[in-house]
Amino acid sequence: MSDYDVIVIGGGPGGYVAAIRCAQLGMKTACIDDYVNEQGAPSLGGVCLNVGCIPSKALLDSVHHYHRARHEFANHGIQVGEVSIDVAAMMQRKQQVVQTLTGGIAMLFTKYKIDWLPGRGCLVGEQRVRVESRGEDTLNEISADNIIIATGSSVVELEAAPFDDDRIVDSTGALAFAEVPRRLGVIGAGVIGLELGSVWARLGAKTTLLARSETFLRHVDRQIAEAVQQDLPDSGLEVQFGARLRSVKKTARQITVTWENAAGEHKLHVDRLLVAAGRRPNSADIGAETVGLKFDGRGFIEVDAECRTNLPGVYAIGDVVRGPMLAHKASAEGVAVAERIAGQQPQVNYATIPSVIYTWPEVAWVGQNAEQLQAEGIAFNAGVFPFAANGRAHAAGDTVGMVKILSDARTDTILGVHIYGAHASELIAEAVLAMEFSASAEDLARTIHAHPTFSEALHEAALAVDGSALHI
Ligand code: FAD
Ligand code: NAI
């Protein structure tokens, strides 16, 4: 008989959620996780809670308040005098948020009687996992009828710009600068570059992003991406496109980044350099060779649509498998796998996973964009409504951006929703729900939205799909 019904390797939003759902469904569950925080203590929640989604949003919220106090309060008649930032206090608050949430998961584990095993997990045989406990020389072997691999992902290190954990850093380092760098360089203008770049830019760092691609935000609807790109200077972000990194040199005084584009060679002098050029799956050192676990050609664990690996009773979820590297995708897969093990037949709808970039204003989307639909030869109608014509946006002073809804030309079914503007991260939920229920643009247009709200822009964009928007 096995020690457990389920062993989960990895305690991030994929693994811890899978463990909770397994326990809720009555399975005896263990979760092995090797993350150790700055204080040297094990901490559940993986990248997302410890050094990803949560701390980055805590900082983005702090700098948003700072920005408002400096640039917007006066418009409201609020006088606050000189505004300054205490970076240490901001970091302490961020850490407190992380501690509260990671501690909350530990409490949930206790509540659901999940065995939390701090240490590294490694597959050693059929249904058997070796746990290398932290700080101890003990190697325990445990067994389970089912194993869920949720080992997540790590930053990609560039040969030309090796991390020194001080001045040349990854996202974890950029979440913990002790002071505002005077000049910040960022390699990569993807999600992390934009989010963490804007944290420090809004605090006054002269921030330059080097983007390898000529196209800004390749996966985003062009009309939206172009609007975001146009507003980048307002966020204090300068982006150099088509920038090929040549070398990075450090002296005591500064870091010099040499890069090249069609116009020739350039040098960027900065005080700190953030490398945010993508992440790769944590699929090494988990015993794959020993047990014959298969990978796809890119280092991700190969799984079918139901997250089954090639080994019976072994599943893999989250960043370590194909699909977007997003916390909510990892969690959705975790829940689905737990329910599948329990004999249920859940489905993850990969077509309706929302994406958000938490800059200010935010960018959010779900489904297909105009270029993808064109490429697939799908006829569609588009409805666009700007926040500049939305009453609540004016009341709030957040009139930048738009909502764009794309619907099938024949059936009117919503195929994609793209939002650039304040609260896009919250507004997108309505679009996801509409798509989950295969709603038409007319369904959204006939839904009564409270007035005055930002969500009325979604309503108006839905009306605009057939040319009947009211306020434009
Ligand atoms: P992870 O969160 O990476 O967790 C895996 C865990 O397994 C880790 O604790 C790791 O230490 C542990 N582990 C690895 N190997 C082993 C082993 N052999 N034995 C035991 N334990 C092991 N996504 C969003 O959706 N929204 C956001 O706003 C967002 N912001 C982000 C900001 C930053 C700066 C970063 C870096 C990422 C962000 N992400 C965001 C991405 C998100 O963090 C990941 O998609 C998510 O954490 C993936 O969850 P996971 O459970 O697959 O893996
Ligand atoms: P990314 O894939 O979003 O962006 C990396 C960018 O770096 C790409 O545009 C790539 O072309 C560029 N690049 C790669 N090598 C380069 C080089 N040598 N020089 C210049 N540019 C180079 O990856 P990022 O920003 O590191 O984030 C990793 C993942 O984390 C994201 O894909 C996302 O899944 C997740 N994430 C999600 C967030 C969210 O949901 N809001 C926030 C932060 C991260």
Side-chain angles (χ1 to χ4, degrees):
M1 194 175 133
S2 307
D3 301 318
Y4 291 96
D5 295 314
V6 182
I7 295 172
V8 183
I9 308 179
Y16 86 74
V17 167
I20 289 175
R21 191 72 189 119
C22 285
Q24 284 177 340
L25 292 167
M27 292 180 261
K28 188 176 179 213
T29 307
C31 180
I32 310 167
D33 185 76
D34 71 353
Y35 185 81
V36 179
N37 66 18
E38 279 172 356
Q39 289 73 42
S43 175
L44 286 166
V47 167
C48 175
L49 271 76
N50 288 287
V51 286
C53 327
I54 295 298
S56 58
K57 270 78 242 179
L59 293 186
L60 281 158
D61 278 333
S62 292
V63 303
H64 190 54
H65 289 308
Y66 176 72
H67 181 88
R68 289 228 135 132
R70 288 187 70 203
H71 302 289
E72 294 175 24
F73 277 14
N75 292 338
H76 293 265
I78 305 168
Q79 303 298 338
V80 288
E82 182 86 4
V83 177
S84 63
I85 186 81
D86 177 345
V87 174
M90 178 177 80
M91 290 297 167
Q92 203 179 358
R93 173 187 174 276
K94 173 205 76 173
Q95 226 30 58
Q96 191 55 53
V97 172
V98 168
Q99 263 165 31
T100 303
L101 295 175
T102 53
I105 295 169
M107 275 166 21
L108 286 171
F109 269 31
T110 306
K111 173 180 168 183
Y112 287 111
K113 300 187 171 49
I114 297 164
D115 284 346
W116 172 17
L117 309 176
R120 270 195 83 69
C122 186
L123 302 166
V124 285
E126 213 171 287
Q127 304 350 74
R128 281 187 300 121
V129 178
R130 193 181 62 212
V131 190
E132 195 178 320
S133 300
R134 222 175 45 83
E136 297 166 25
D137 287 337
T138 50
L139 293 177
N140 293 323
E141 245 182 62
I142 50 175
S143 60
D145 298 339
N146 299 279
I147 295 168
I148 303 174
I149 305 170
T151 46
S153 65
S154 302
V155 64
V156 169
E157 186 163 13
L158 301 179
E159 215 180 297
F163 299 122
D164 65 8
D165 293 333
D166 175 25
R167 291 190 294 159
I168 303 178
V169 298
D170 64 0
S171 53
T172 302
L175 284 167
F177 287 150
E179 57 193 39
V180 182
R182 200 164 58 81
R183 302 163 299 177
L184 173 66
V186 183
I187 312 275
V191 199
I192 293 181
L194 290 171
E195 289 188 3
L196 294 184
S198 35
V199 164
W200 296 106
R202 290 190 124 195
L203 294 179
K206 181 173 173 8
T207 305
T208 309
L209 283 69
L210 299 180
R212 187 171 55 183
S213 168
E214 292 284 357
T215 313
F216 182 55
L217 295 177
R218 265 183 306 127
H219 305 298
V220 177
D221 184 274
R222 272 311 84 204
Q223 187 178 3
I224 299 282
E226 280 164 17
V228 179
Q229 187 174 342
Q230 214 166 35
D231 293 341
L232 284 174
D234 298 340
S235 315
L237 299 177
E238 181 188 329
V239 183
Q240 298 291 349
F241 294 97
R244 289 183 303 278
L245 182 64
R246 285 294 168 245
S247 68
V248 174
K249 294 238 154 35
K250 264 191 317 181
T251 62
R253 212 166 60 84
Q254 63 186 9
I255 301 164
T256 301
V257 182
T258 306
W259 59 279
E260 224 175 67
N261 64 5
E265 192 177 277
H266 309 266
K267 290 203 187 301
L268 173 70
H269 302 289
V270 293
D271 304 298
R272 292 274 190 282
L273 184 65
L274 160 62
V275 180
R279 295 180 63 82
R280 57 173 172 72
N282 290 332
S283 54
D285 307 325
I286 54 168
E289 304 75 19
T290 314
V291 295
L293 182 67
K294 268 198 194 158
F295 295 140
D296 67 11
R298 300 177 306 146
F300 293 90
I301 296 174
E302 193 173 281
V303 287
D304 66 10
E306 300 188 334
C307 294
R308 290 176 208 277
T309 69
N310 63 310
L311 304 175
V314 180
Y315 299 80
I317 60 171
D319 281 12
V320 79
V321 302
R322 72 331 177 222
M325 286 183 164
L326 296 173
H328 42 283
K329 175 263 193 184
S331 299
E333 288 180 334
V335 168
V337 165
E339 294 178 349
R340 205 156 284 137
I341 292 171
Q344 301 178 13
Q345 295 191 336
Q347 290 291 324
V348 173
N349 186 354
Y350 287 93
T352 56
I353 297 174
S355 294
V356 179
I357 306 174
Y358 294 83
T359 43
W360 191 270
E362 295 173 338
V363 187
W365 68 96
V366 59
Q368 290 170 287
N369 61 42
E371 293 68 35
Q372 287 165 336
L373 293 173
Q374 275 152 9
E376 288 178 28
I378 299 170
F380 64 94
N381 294 318
V384 177
F385 190 80
F387 284 107
N390 173 275
R392 185 60 188 276
H394 277 275
D398 287 320
T399 53
V400 170
M402 70 192 88
V403 176
K404 179 174 184 180
I405 297 183
L406 308 173
S407 82
D408 189 291
R410 200 171 48 83
T411 63
D412 195 34
T413 306
I414 299 172
L415 300 174
V417 177
H418 307 268
I419 308 176
Y420 170 44
H423 314 297
S425 58
E426 303 292 344
L427 294 173
I428 201 67
E430 178 179 351
V432 176
L433 191 66
M435 287 184 67
E436 267 300 321
F437 285 87
S438 306
S440 62
E442 187 181 348
D443 288 328
L444 258 193
R446 293 199 180 278
T447 302
I448 299 171
H449 290 68
H451 176 74
T453 57
F454 283 86
S455 72
E456 286 174 296
L458 263 162
H459 180 230
E460 290 272 10
L463 285 165
V465 167
D466 78 349
S468 54
L470 296 163
H471 291 90
I472 192 121

